[in-house]
Amino acid sequence: GLVLVTHDVNPMQIMKNNDLLMLFDKNLFGAYVPFWLQSASNPLEGLVRALSPLLIFIYTNLDTMLGAFFFLLLYQNGLEFFRACAAFMISVGIGLLFWFFFPALSPLEGYIHTMVPVIERNEITEALREFNPAPSVQAFTASVGAAQSAYKTDFFPITTMPSMHIAWCSLLLFFSLRRPLSRLVMIPFFLLTVLATLVTLQHYAVDIPAGILVALAAAYISLWAVREPPRAISV
C-alpha cells in the first residue's frame, strides 16, 4: 500500500488512535488480532507460522499482481481497464481523507518499534508478552525498521486505516469476478493477503473491512462515472 509520511501530527493523537484501533479489534473480534495470530492462544498458530514466508512474499509483491492484472485487463476489455484505473485512483483519494483526519501507526510501528509513546494497558501488555513471531516475520519487521531509520524520528508513516493492500486486492477481486479462471486465482490471493497484512503487523483487523468498504465505494463510483473507454483503444 501507500506509505504517507508526515511530521505535522501530534504524537499523543497518534497514540490515542493506535489504542482506539486496538480497542476496535478487541471488541469486534475478541482479541488483539495482529499479536494473537502468532501467540500460543491461537490454536492455528503453527499453521500461521508455516505460512508466514508465503504471506510475506504475497504482501511485498502486490505490485507485481497489480501490474499483471492491469496488463491482462487492458488486453481483454478496454472499458473495464479504465473503470479499474478510476477505481484505484478513487480509493487512494478516500484513503487520503482517512489518513488526514485519523492518522495512526501500524501495530508494528505503534507497539513493537514504538515510534510514539504507548499507554500502558494490562491487556495489550499481556498480548505483547505472548506475541511470538515466526523467524521470517522477525526478519521482515527488522527490515522495515532498518528502512524507517532513514527518516527523522519526528516523521511518522500514518497509513494504517484503511488498508490499501486490502482495498486494492478487493478491487482486483471485484473486477475479476466475471472471469472464472481469474476467480480461481484471486479468491485465494485475496484471503492470503488479508492474513498477510495482519501477520506482518502492517494492519489492525479493523483495517480489513475498512479497506473492503473503500474498494466497494470506489468500484461503484467508477462504474457510474466511466461509461465508455477512450475511442483510441475502444474494444
Side-chain angles (χ1 to χ4, degrees):
L2 294 176
V3 177
L4 185 66
V5 182
T6 182
H7 62 88
D8 298 322
V9 179
N10 186 337
M12 295 300 292
Q13 185 60 52
I14 294 178
M15 174 187 65
K16 292 177 181 178
N17 291 345
N18 295 344
D19 279 1
L20 184 59
L21 292 173
M22 271 291 194
L23 186 62
F24 283 153
D25 270 19
K26 181 68 172 178
N27 290 338
L28 291 174
F29 305 103
Y32 299 113
V33 181
F35 304 130
W36 171 82
L37 282 171
Q38 298 180 83
S39 68
S41 57
N42 175 15
L44 298 178
E45 179 196 12
L47 177 61
V48 172
R49 294 175 72 85
L51 287 174
S52 61
L54 173 63
L55 297 174
I56 292 169
F57 177 82
I58 286 174
Y59 184 84
T60 55
N61 286 278
L62 178 62
D63 55 346
T64 302
M65 181 64 80
L66 288 173
F69 167 80
F70 276 111
F71 177 81
L72 292 173
L73 197 59
L74 177 60
Y75 175 77
Q76 294 177 349
N77 191 313
L79 177 58
E80 288 289 282
F81 171 81
F82 279 96
R83 284 174 168 171
C85 288
F88 274 79
M89 294 301 100
I90 293 167
S91 72
V92 173
I94 297 173
L96 285 170
L97 291 175
F98 274 92
W99 304 331
F100 182 81
F101 291 106
F102 192 81
L105 298 174
S106 70
L108 174 63
E109 290 138 356
Y111 295 93
I112 303 298
H113 293 167
T114 58
M115 296 179 71
V116 294
V118 177
I119 298 175
E120 286 296 328
R121 287 203 177 124
N122 290 335
E123 289 186 348
I124 295 179
T125 302
E126 183 62 27
L128 287 167
R129 190 176 296 117
E130 293 180 0
F131 177 58
N132 182 29
S136 56
V137 175
Q138 294 180 40
F140 172 80
T141 57
S143 69
V144 172
Q148 288 169 346
S149 66
Y151 294 107
K152 297 179 181 179
T153 56
D154 60 343
F155 281 69
F156 307 107
I158 55 167
T159 55
T160 182
M161 162 64 97
S163 167
M164 283 294 102
H165 258 74
I166 296 304
W168 292 343
C169 196
S170 297
L171 288 173
L172 291 180
L173 182 60
F174 182 90
F175 286 99
S176 300
L177 286 178
R178 286 177 286 184
R179 299 170 177 82
L181 183 60
S182 297
R183 287 200 299 268
L184 290 177
V185 175
M186 286 312 307
I187 291 175
F189 183 81
F190 173 80
L191 295 174
L192 288 171
T193 300
V194 168
L195 185 57
T197 62
L198 300 171
V199 168
T200 57
L201 303 182
Q202 297 302 295
H203 288 284
Y204 305 88
V206 71
D207 298 343
I208 307 305
I212 294 172
L213 290 175
V214 166
L216 289 175
Y220 283 109
I221 291 172
S222 73
L223 292 179
W224 170 79
V226 182
R227 302 299 177 88
E228 61 182 24
R231 293 180 182 178
I233 63 168
S234 180
V235 295

